[in-house]
């Protein structure tokens, strides 16, 4: 009858992200104590995975991403490795695409795209005209792909939101072409400011790039459809859950769903299929509903990805074991009773 | 077809459109009024007392200026007007130059490096609250009555507030910009000189524009107290003889110089390389 927490997958050393029992929070001035944002996060991401990270607003998606990029340092965790190392401050191994900012306003679009190359060029490359020619050719290819050729001499403040976003994406991707870095790309609501058609174009674009280079991508979005369409795996982070612990320990978000997704069809038509719609609706109902909080012991049903695991304690699911009755029983969910 | 017409007020109300010509005329009106009033009162005073020195006529003023601009000084053999201008502009230029360079580099460092900010922040905030004019006597005693004390007064008086502003602006730069640059492979030094410093340059020029008035004030104050040449010195000297015929044109001349300086800096900001500056971010 014992409830068995989902075991940790074997760690091969080939993971992009390995995060275990992570807690993170901020000091809240009005509460005069640290308010937990991330509560016991367990996440293992293999190299080459395309993880869509979704969740209700305020659930801490961006905070989790900041831990990966090194903008923030995790407060407490049993294990935390990104690309095999405890993440240090932001560097070229982990790329990031923000929804806003990130573009140097004083540089033209072309110079912005070349920025990564300018930074990383070795002394030899810096003075080699042929290398710069190659870099410029590469940049103009990206300008072309992103439909930015006409804007190449404009400054970011002169561009629309969508165009700026395309520049920001090109900035990061071009360094993969020339330097093979970054190995992990964190996208923080990157497509949030785009109109529908540009958005679909860029979705296909990022998929093609992912197919070509097989870099790990963590894609934070509030658009569930986009998440399910793009990812090989959709992870739902949500603050709407409950356990048998005191209320103070139920603060913050947990990963409540982790679902593997079908391989990509490279066509946005898949979004119209019944299975696709059913899945997005299922995630929406279970993960985004503040009125119907799921019990931690019920998560196992939705932690379906082979890499997902959860380390629950007996206290957290006391009722689920003791009486075994009602909707909160994990056994009934697993269909083993 | 009937012509639709709506009357638009030319002067009164929120919707008024004075137009180009009428607008110019409107603007000249108070200027002409002040000028006319001065000429009228000056004329009236001269009718009562032909030797009135307080309000010289325009003719007297132009005569005084002609003399100082063309007749060489008996003692030095130089034209005083040119010497005064050169002396004052040199002090001003050196003071502003030192203030600009120091505030640019130290300000950026303070804005970007928290350690540097913690180290220098209290000192700079403290110094920015010291009134430079109150410090003038100490500066004169410490640095003597030569050029260095005047240059120091200007550099200190405008440099410290500028340093504070630059530090604040660099600190408020979106953190995402730094993070993005670092993820693109920038070293910390590259973030500084490729991302932050170029963005601070037009802001520095704007700051100099704002500080120009204060800089002129410090030059004149220093020249009033201790100098042997300069625009402020000349005014102070002529005050002993109540020579308003020279003082008033000098005041106007100084104002025009200040205005020219402002226009020059504005011109720099209009260069193509600063095209991005001043455009809204969103």
């Amino acid at each position: 009858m014992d409830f068995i927490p989902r075991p940790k997958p074997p760690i091969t050393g080939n993971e992009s992200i390995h995060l275990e029992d992570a807690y993170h929070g901020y000091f809240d001035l009005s509460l005069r104590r640290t308010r937990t944002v991330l509560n016991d996060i367990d996440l293992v991401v293999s190299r080459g995975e395309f993880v869509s990270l979704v969740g209700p607003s305020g659930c801490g998606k961006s905070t989790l991403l900041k831990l990966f990029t090194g903008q923030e340092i995790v407060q407490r965790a049993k294990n935390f490795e990104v690309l095999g190392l405890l993440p240090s401050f932001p560097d070229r191994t982990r790329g990031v695409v923000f929804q806003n900012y990130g573009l140097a306003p004083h540089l033209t679009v072309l110079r912005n795209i070349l920025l990564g190359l300018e930074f990383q060029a070795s002394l030899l490359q810096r003075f080699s005209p042929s290398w710069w020619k190659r870099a410029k050719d590469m940049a103009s290819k990206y300008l072309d792909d992103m439909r930015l050729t006409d804007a190449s001499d404009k400054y970011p403040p002169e561009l629309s939101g969508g165009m700026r976003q395309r520049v920001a994406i090109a900035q990061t991707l071009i360094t993969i072409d020339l330097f093979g870095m970054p190995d992990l790309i964190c996208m923080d609501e990157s497509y949030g400011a785009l109109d529908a058609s540009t958005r679909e174009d860029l979705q296909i674009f990022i998929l093609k790039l992912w197919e070509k280079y097989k870099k790990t991508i963590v894609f934070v979005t509030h658009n569930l459809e986009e998440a399910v369409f793009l990812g090989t795996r959709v992870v739902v982070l949500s603050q709407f859950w409950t356990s048998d612990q005191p209320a103070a320990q139920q603060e913050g978000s947990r990963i409540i769903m982790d679902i593997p997704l079908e391989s990509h069809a490279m066509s946005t038509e898949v979004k119209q299929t019944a299975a696709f719609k059913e899945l997005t609706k299922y995630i929406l109902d279970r993960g985004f509903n503040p009125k119907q909080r799921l019990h931690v012991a019920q998560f196992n049903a939705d932690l379906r990805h082979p890499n997902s695991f959860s380390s629950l304690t007996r206290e957290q699911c006391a009722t689920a074991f003791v009486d075994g009755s009602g909707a909160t029983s994990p056994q009934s969910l697993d269909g083993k009773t | 077809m009937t012509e639709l017409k709506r009357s638009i007020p030319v002067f009164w109300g929120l919707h008024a459109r004075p137009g180009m010509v009428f607008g110019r005329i409107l603007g000249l009106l108070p200027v002409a009024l002040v000028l006319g009033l001065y000429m009228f009162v000056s004329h009236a005073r001269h009718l009562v007392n032909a030797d009135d020195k307080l309000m010289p006529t325009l003719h007297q003023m132009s005569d005084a200026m002609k003399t100082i601009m063309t007749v060489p000084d008996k003692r030095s053999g130089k034209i005083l007007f040119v010497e005064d201008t050169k002396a004052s502009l040199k002090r001003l230029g050196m003071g502003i130059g030192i203030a600009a360079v120091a505030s640019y580099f130290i300000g950026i460092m303070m804005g970007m490096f928290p350690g540097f900010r913690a180290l220098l922040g209290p000192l700079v905030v403290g110094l920015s609250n010291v009134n430079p004019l109150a410090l003038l006597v100490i500066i004169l005693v410490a640095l003597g009555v030569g050029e260095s004390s005047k240059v120091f007064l200007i550099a200190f008086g405008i440099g410290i507030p500028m340093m504070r502003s630059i530090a604040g602006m660099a600190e408020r730069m979106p953190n995402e910009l730094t993070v993005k640059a670092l993820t693109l492979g920038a070293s910390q030094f590259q973030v500084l000189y490729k991302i932050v410093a170029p963005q601070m340059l037009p802001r520095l020029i704007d700051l100099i524009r704002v500080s120009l008035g204060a800089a002129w004030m410090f030059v004149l104050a220093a020249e009033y107290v201790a100098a042997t040449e300069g625009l402020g010195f000349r005014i102070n000297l002529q005050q002993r003889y109540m020579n308003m015929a020279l003082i008033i044109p000098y005041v106007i001349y100084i104002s025009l110089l200040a205005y020219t300086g402002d226009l020059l800096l504005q011109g720099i900001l209009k260069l193509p390389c600063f095209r991005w500056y001043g455009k809204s971010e969103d």
Side-chain angles (χ1 to χ4, degrees), chain B residues 103-177:
Chain B
S103 63
Y104 187 60
F105 287 104
I106 302 177
I108 288 175
M109 300 259 274
M110 280 174 66
M112 295 308 291
F113 298 129
F116 225 77
R117 179 155 64 240
L119 180 72
L120 287 182
L123 179 71
V124 170
V125 171
L127 286 180
S128 71
N129 283 301
V130 174
N131 189 324
L133 289 180
L135 212 62
L136 183 56
V137 176
I138 301 175
I139 296 174
L140 285 174
V141 170
L143 297 175
V145 291
E147 292 303 291
S148 54
S149 60
K150 298 173 189 68
V151 171
F152 181 83
L153 178 73
I154 304 166
F156 177 82
I158 66 168
I160 300 288
M162 276 164 63
M163 198 179 286
R164 242 186 115 174
S165 302
I166 293 269
M169 285 189 279
E171 194 189 341
R172 281 193 299 277
M173 272 218 330
N175 184 36
E176 285 86 345
L177 209 56

Side-chain angles (χ1 to χ4, degrees), chain A residues 71 90-92 94 96 98 101-103 105-106 115-116 118-120 126 153 155 157-158 164 168 171-172, chain B residues 174-177 179-186 190-191 193-195 198-199 272-273 275-276 279-282:
Chain A
Q71 283 169 273
D91 60 27
R92 67 199 188 111
R94 291 153 290 156
V96 61
F98 295 111
Y101 309 110
L103 290 188
H106 63 291
L115 203 56
E118 241 174 84
F119 287 144
Q120 293 191 36
R126 228 169 268 263
D153 289 327
Y155 289 94
E158 298 170 320
R164 266 186 250 177
Q171 253 183 340
T172 299
Chain B
N175 184 36
E176 285 86 345
L177 209 56
V179 173
K180 180 87 189 192
L182 289 172
T183 60
L184 289 176
Q190 280 174 324
V191 172
Y193 84 92
K194 282 211 158 126
I195 301 290
Q199 289 192 57
C273 58
R275 199 174 86 206
W276 55 273
K279 289 188 173 139
S280 72
E281 263 297 286
D282 299 271

Side-chain angles (χ1 to χ4, degrees), chain A residues 85-102:
Chain A
L85 298 164
L86 182 70
S88 62
F89 297 111
D91 60 27
R92 67 199 188 111
T93 58
R94 291 153 290 156
V96 61
V97 182
F98 295 111
Q99 184 185 339
N100 285 315
Y101 309 110

Side-chain angles (χ1 to χ4, degrees), chain B residues 19-279:
Chain B
M20 272 294 274
V21 179
F22 184 60
R24 288 282 156 81
I25 295 171
L26 270 181
L28 283 176
L29 223 58
V31 179
L33 197 74
V34 169
L35 209 64
L37 201 69
Y38 178 86
M39 282 159 72
F40 174 75
V41 177
S42 156
H43 184 68
R45 288 177 68 106
H46 276 84
L47 285 181
V48 177
N49 173 14
D51 291 333
D52 181 67
K53 281 187 150 181
L54 194 65
M55 292 181 84
T57 60
L58 295 185
H59 188 71
Q60 284 173 317
M61 288 194 241
S62 72
D63 273 353
M65 280 309 278
K66 223 176 268 170
T67 313
I68 201 162
M69 284 167 83
T70 52
V71 181
D73 181 45
K74 278 174 210 144
R75 223 175 301 159
S76 63
K78 285 174 179 166
I79 291 171
L80 291 179
F81 178 76
V82 177
E83 294 305 306
D84 286 344
T85 309
K86 270 205 266 183
S88 288
L89 285 185
K90 193 178 151 207
R91 288 160 191 157
L92 194 78
M94 282 177 73
I96 292 176
I98 293 171
V101 172
S103 63
Y104 187 60
F105 287 104
I106 302 177
I108 288 175
M109 300 259 274
M110 280 174 66
M112 295 308 291
F113 298 129
F116 225 77
R117 179 155 64 240
L119 180 72
L120 287 182
L123 179 71
V124 170
V125 171
L127 286 180
S128 71
N129 283 301
V130 174
N131 189 324
L133 289 180
L135 212 62
L136 183 56
V137 176
I138 301 175
I139 296 174
L140 285 174
V141 170
L143 297 175
V145 291
E147 292 303 291
S148 54
S149 60
K150 298 173 189 68
V151 171
F152 181 83
L153 178 73
I154 304 166
F156 177 82
I158 66 168
I160 300 288
M162 276 164 63
M163 198 179 286
R164 242 186 115 174
S165 302
I166 293 269
M169 285 189 279
E171 194 189 341
R172 281 193 299 277
M173 272 218 330
N175 184 36
E176 285 86 345
L177 209 56
T178 314
V179 173
K180 180 87 189 192
L182 289 172
T183 60
L184 289 176
S187 65
Q188 298 196 8
F189 189 57
Q190 280 174 324
V191 172
L192 226 59
Y193 84 92
K194 282 211 158 126
I195 301 290
V196 184
Q199 289 192 57
M200 288 298 137
L201 201 57
R203 290 177 172 87
L204 177 76
I205 294 170
D206 252 349
L207 273 177
I208 297 175
R209 274 185 67 197
V210 175
S211 310
L212 218 51
W216 271 105
M217 194 176 72
F218 294 132
V219 184
L220 295 184
E223 288 176 346
Y224 276 0
V225 176
T228 53
E229 55 183 354
L231 297 167
F233 163 75
R234 196 64 53 202
I235 290 176
N236 195 34
L237 189 72
Q238 298 300 321
Q239 174 228 313
R240 292 183 206 160
Y241 314 115
M242 267 282 275
N243 190 2
M244 288 296 173
L246 190 71
I247 294 176
I248 294 174
Y250 253 61
V251 171
I252 295 170
Y253 175 59
I254 292 170
S255 315
L256 284 177
L257 277 183
Y259 185 54
T260 312
D262 188 47
L263 283 184
L264 269 176
L265 291 174
Q266 260 188 57
I268 296 178
L269 282 180
K270 290 221 174 83
L271 291 176
C273 58
F274 293 132
R275 199 174 86 206
W276 55 273
Y277 181 63
K279 289 188 173 139

